[in-house]
Amino acid sequence: MKHSIAFLAIGLMLALAFASASAVETTIFEIQELAFEEGDSVTVDNVVVTGTDLYGFFIQELGPNPNWEPFGHPRLYSGLYVHTHNNPSHQGVVSRGDLVTVTGPYNEYFFFSQINIAVGYPGTWGSFEIIGTATEPDPVPLSMEDINTDGPLAEGYESVPVVVDSSATTALIAGPSWEQGTDSWTWWLREQPYGAADSIMVQRRNPDPQGDFLYTIPDSGQVFDYVQGILVYHYSNFKIAPRDCVEDLGMNCPPVVSGAWAHDNNHVDVFFAVDVDETTAQNPLNYAFAGDLIFALSAERNTDDHRIVHLETTAHLPGRITTIQVSNVLSEEGEPIPSGEQAQYSFAEGIVNIYDIQYVDDFIEDASEFVDKVVTTTGRVTHVFGNYYYLQSGDGGQFNNLQVYSPRLGPVAAGDSVIVAAPIEEYFPLDPHGETEMTGDPGIQYFVNLGPAVGPIVINEVSAAELIYDAQEGDGSLPDDNLPEPWEGALVTVTELAVVDTVLGFDPAWGEVWLIVGGTDSCRVDVNDRRNDYGEHIYRELEPGDSVRVTGFVNYSYGIYKIIPRNAWDIEYYNVGVEDSPFEVKGIMLRQNTPNPFGGMTEIRFNLNGSARDVRIEIFDVTGALVRDCLPRGTALPAGKHMVEWDGTNDRGERQASGNYFYRLSVDGQSKAKQMLLLK
């Protein structure tokens, strides 16, 4: 094992540019042989991709390791994992055989070595570039004893393709399989007779629907001539991760149904674990739905991905759960589809409203009726963070918001309208409430960005009493009414909050702060080490006695509801005394522009706690470039309320492109900034 582990956009860009410039060009060999400390910035060049999964891809050196070649192990320490967390997305971009350059910080994830370029997470940055193609090195022949969890060579061959062969005295046989979460299955590979030699775990590695590791788990007792794949470290064990049935297991896998979802109210997509035969896949009589409530009218195999079949059907009843049963479909190698559960899949018909997904009668006992079912829904995106994004429908009020944690399969930004299909789950399922969210699942790969949403992103104003932080049932500290449940995933503003150190004898956890108004009417805001859960800086530290207005997302975890601000502009600071608010501005207050988003004119309002000799309002684009000087340097203003307008043009009167912009108020050395969205 190895060792354990700016305020404006221009500031972030400069920081990333500096980190990239200071990266040391090195090799995978040197990284794996501990030439670097965790967090060091590195660049590896001219390395080949050997496999892609949901959260990243594997890379390998093309040449041998000169340090170990004399000892008969020229491929030792030649592999490494690149963690992207789908941001920037590698899915559908990086493939096996691509030659790449990767730059980013090196770290150990539970002793699994990686370059972490999950941009947007605390301490992460980086990039990859495809520079050509190359032939992958052959898998390294090794014994189970060498590379199982206790094997002497396992650490050295981490992230390297390896192969285990049968011998004259032993045969390889599949043992039982067992599920590890929603996107990872593990099974045993044993030498027969069992006990004569050894065994190793084999994994279906977090599959990217557009990538590798989507083979079918073999039945217990299946005999193999060989098993090969990438050696990974997962859940405290070394495991072989095959990428393909034919290549890595030497067998023709059957066309198991890995997923199905409503494409719209008249179409269904079916996803098979392997490529399917065109003739049998395009026979609509091979597809039946439970109860004969809908019928397949036609079937067409996807021209690019032969694992997907598109069905035209009779009209759906949105939200009704159905099960598709597939028969008589062959793989491209001629393997028949199995009978029973492997040939069927349950999902919700049609496009389901977010409200219908989220709504429950009993906030304490009830879960979403769609838990463990694949649902297709649509909404406007309110925020994007790594692989997470938030959807909103209608007025964004109660039950009209949903957190999505599934592959995006394409770019997305706040203000976009999307259609997505994914399973519904209650995160922290042992909890009486959980947090309803869409999650990733192998075989589900439907995501369409429809472009800018018709309606604006809505921020709802709620009281602290509606977001009371402690929803644990039966702990006796607060009423067990779970009032925040309808607001989970919602973008809200909470006003008139006072910062305190503790509430009802409890200490703040994970660096969050307590915000309290009037006894038990209290909620919690996540500002951990001056960062929020999105890894973004909240530059001004909240202190006891501050009075604030907070905007952010309602999140539920570990029995606690909390508000997660998106950025520094989501927290406004007050004291008691301003005439139109129970709090007084600490020097200056900058309000959110209205309307926002806007297409014509927008108003920027601000308050001054006293007269000022130098007041400026400036507009910047996302690169930090000055676009418009709305209130020039040296403008003197009295105390009170003020307003300027911006019509979306620069200082030369030229209309600006649609997108995000920042506006900054500067007053006698103090400044505040906020973000706004211009739509043409």
Side-chain angles (χ1 to χ4, degrees):
M1 301 296 172
K2 286 175 280 296
H3 305 299
S4 59
I5 336 202
F7 195 59
L8 285 175
I10 190 170
L12 175 61
M13 293 171 61
L14 289 174
L16 297 186
F18 176 79
S20 178
S22 61
V24 176
E25 189 164 343
T26 184
T27 64
I28 295 175
F29 302 132
E30 291 179 328
I31 294 171
Q32 289 281 28
E33 291 173 321
L34 302 181
F36 295 91
E37 297 291 334
E38 286 194 72
D40 286 349
S41 299
V42 296
T43 295
V44 291
D45 188 26
N46 213 42
V47 292
V48 65
V49 176
T50 56
T52 69
D53 68 7
L54 192 62
Y55 301 119
F57 54 94
F58 293 87
I59 55 177
Q60 188 177 16
E61 293 284 355
L62 290 171
N65 187 337
N67 294 331
W68 291 94
E69 192 169 18
F71 302 97
H73 288 287
R75 308 305 302 166
L76 207 65
Y77 297 114
S78 63
L80 192 66
Y81 186 61
V82 179
H83 178 230
T84 71
H85 211 280
N86 199 40
N87 186 18
S89 176
H90 65 282
Q91 297 180 23
V93 176
V94 177
S95 302
R96 287 181 59 183
D98 283 341
L99 206 59
V100 296
T101 297
V102 181
T103 297
Y106 149 71
N107 79 316
E108 295 285 327
Y109 182 72
F110 293 99
F111 305 110
F112 189 48
S113 303
Q114 60 185 26
I115 297 178
N116 191 351
I117 61 173
V119 179
Y121 289 77
T124 61
W125 60 274
S127 63
F128 66 85
E129 180 184 3
I130 300 173
I131 58 176
T133 58
T135 301
E136 302 170 51
D138 292 333
V140 179
L142 294 165
S143 72
M144 289 186 183
E145 294 176 287
D146 288 333
I147 56 172
N148 66 17
T149 300
D150 298 320
L153 298 178
E155 175 67 26
Y157 284 104
E158 174 190 280
S159 297
V160 175
V162 299
V163 58
V164 176
D165 289 301
S166 61
S167 68
T169 57
T170 60
L172 303 179
I173 185 169
S177 62
W178 48 282
E179 188 173 340
Q180 261 187 354
T182 59
D183 61 357
S184 171
W185 285 261
T186 300
W187 49 285
W188 286 99
L189 178 67
R190 294 169 173 165
E191 291 186 335
Q192 188 73 20
Y194 180 63
D198 215 327
S199 60
I200 193 170
M201 301 179 84
V202 186
Q203 181 180 21
R204 180 179 176 180
R205 169 85 187 173
N206 298 322
D208 166 10
Q210 294 184 320
D212 308 307
F213 306 98
L214 267 175
Y215 68 92
T216 306
I217 299 295
D219 294 332
S220 181
Q222 172 76 43
V223 178
F224 304 94
D225 292 328
Y226 67 92
V227 170
Q228 66 184 29
I230 297 176
L231 191 67
V232 299
Y233 184 75
H234 188 236
Y235 283 97
S236 303
N237 287 284
F238 281 100
K239 307 172 185 178
I240 296 176
R243 298 152 294 183
D244 176 83
C245 275
V246 175
E247 178 185 4
D248 288 339
L249 296 176
M251 59 182 285
N252 294 328
C253 280
V256 168
V257 178
S258 290
W261 59 90
H263 191 279
D264 53 36
N265 291 333
N266 286 95
H267 293 84
V268 170
D269 291 342
V270 185
F271 187 91
F272 295 90
V274 296
D275 292 343
V276 290
D277 164 68
E278 183 175 19
T279 300
T280 55
Q282 295 192 160
N283 185 348
L285 297 179
N286 291 339
Y287 306 89
F289 296 88
D292 293 331
L293 297 174
I294 56 176
F295 301 90
L297 303 176
S298 65
E300 181 180 0
R301 190 182 68 170
N302 187 283
T303 55
D304 297 321
D305 190 337
H306 292 175
R307 297 172 297 181
I308 300 175
V309 176
H310 307 289
L311 304 179
E312 182 183 4
T313 70
T314 52
H316 297 195
L317 179 63
R320 180 174 58 191
I321 303 300
T322 191
T323 299
I324 187 169
Q325 179 72 44
V326 184
S327 59
N328 301 319
V329 173
L330 304 176
S331 72
E332 286 191 336
E333 290 78 26
E335 288 292 317
I337 192 167
S339 60
E341 292 186 0
Q342 295 187 90
Q344 61 188 39
Y345 204 91
S346 296
F347 63 97
E349 296 179 27
I351 308 297
V352 184
N353 293 327
I354 291 176
Y355 185 93
D356 294 331
I357 296 171
Q358 284 279 24
Y359 180 78
V360 292
D361 288 316
D362 188 331
F363 296 168
I364 295 294
E365 299 295 337
D366 290 352
S368 169
E369 65 176 294
F370 296 101
V371 169
D372 296 329
K373 298 295 188 296
V374 172
V375 171
T376 305
T377 192
T378 184
R380 71 180 73 92
V381 177
T382 54
H383 188 67
V384 180
F385 166 60
N387 210 36
Y388 288 94
Y389 57 100
Y390 292 85
L391 292 182
Q392 180 186 86
S393 62
D395 63 359
Q398 294 186 348
F399 299 115
N400 276 319
N401 308 275
L402 187 63
Q403 178 175 291
V404 182
Y405 182 58
S406 66
R408 297 198 303 265
L409 306 177
V412 67
D416 288 344
S417 177
V418 303
I419 300 177
V420 60
I424 299 296
E425 74 169 14
E426 295 284 352
Y427 194 53
F428 296 100
L430 298 181
D431 189 278
H433 328 112
E435 178 165 22
T436 309
E437 69 177 26
M438 300 187 87
T439 187
D441 196 49
I444 308 299
Q445 58 164 329
Y446 184 50
F447 171 89
V448 179
N449 190 331
L450 301 174
V454 175
I457 295 171
V458 180
I459 302 176
N460 282 274
E461 188 165 305
V462 300
S463 68
E466 292 177 276
L467 297 182
I468 199 162
Y469 62 92
D470 193 340
Q472 290 278 20
E473 185 177 15
D475 68 357
S477 63
L478 289 168
D480 299 319
D481 52 19
N482 198 30
L483 282 177
E485 169 82 11
W487 291 106
E488 65 183 23
L491 181 58
V492 302
T493 291
V494 188
T495 60
E496 304 178 9
L497 297 173
V499 179
V500 296
D501 278 330
T502 185
V503 173
L504 301 179
F506 292 95
D507 292 328
W510 306 105
E512 295 127 351
V513 297
W514 298 111
L515 302 180
I516 184 168
V517 175
T520 60
D521 290 347
S522 52
C523 58
R524 188 152 88 168
V525 171
D526 180 10
V527 185
N528 186 2
D529 192 23
R530 298 199 188 187
R531 290 180 180 267
N532 60 11
D533 272 5
Y534 307 125
E536 297 170 307
H537 284 286
I538 309 297
Y539 275 88
R540 189 197 187 287
E541 187 172 5
L542 296 177
E543 299 173 353
D546 282 344
S547 297
V548 296
R549 172 188 176 99
V550 176
T551 299
F553 287 92
V554 180
N555 175 264
Y556 179 75
S557 61
Y558 296 101
I560 294 292
Y561 281 99
K562 59 188 178 182
I563 307 167
I564 306 178
R566 297 162 296 175
N567 47 51
W569 307 292
D570 273 345
I571 301 179
E572 298 179 71
Y573 302 88
Y574 303 87
N575 280 326
V576 177
V578 174
E579 57 188 64
D580 65 341
S581 168
F583 302 104
E584 180 183 23
V585 184
K586 284 188 174 180
I588 60 176
M589 180 175 68
L590 180 62
R591 299 184 181 278
Q592 187 64 49
N593 65 302
T594 56
N596 186 47
F598 66 100
M601 190 76 69
T602 190
E603 295 179 348
I604 300 172
R605 297 180 181 272
F606 59 96
N607 288 25
L608 302 180
N609 194 34
S611 60
R613 293 172 297 178
D614 186 9
V615 182
R616 298 188 70 184
I617 292 285
E618 300 163 296
I619 312 293
F620 299 87
D621 64 20
V622 293
T623 71
L626 179 63
V627 172
R628 182 71 177 268
D629 206 344
C630 295
L631 205 60
R633 183 186 300 275
T635 300
L637 292 174
K641 304 174 184 177
H642 302 275
M643 185 270 288
V644 297
E645 295 181 324
W646 186 45
D647 61 1
T649 64
N650 62 17
D651 284 329
R652 297 185 297 276
E654 299 166 337
R655 183 70 176 172
Q656 296 300 287
S658 297
N660 289 307
Y661 291 83
F662 300 94
Y663 59 100
R664 182 174 66 186
L665 167 66
S666 302
V667 181
D668 293 342
Q670 301 181 65
S671 66
K672 286 184 178 292
K674 287 184 177 293
Q675 189 174 0
M676 56 184 167
L677 179 61
L678 171 63
L679 297 176
K680 287 187 177 180

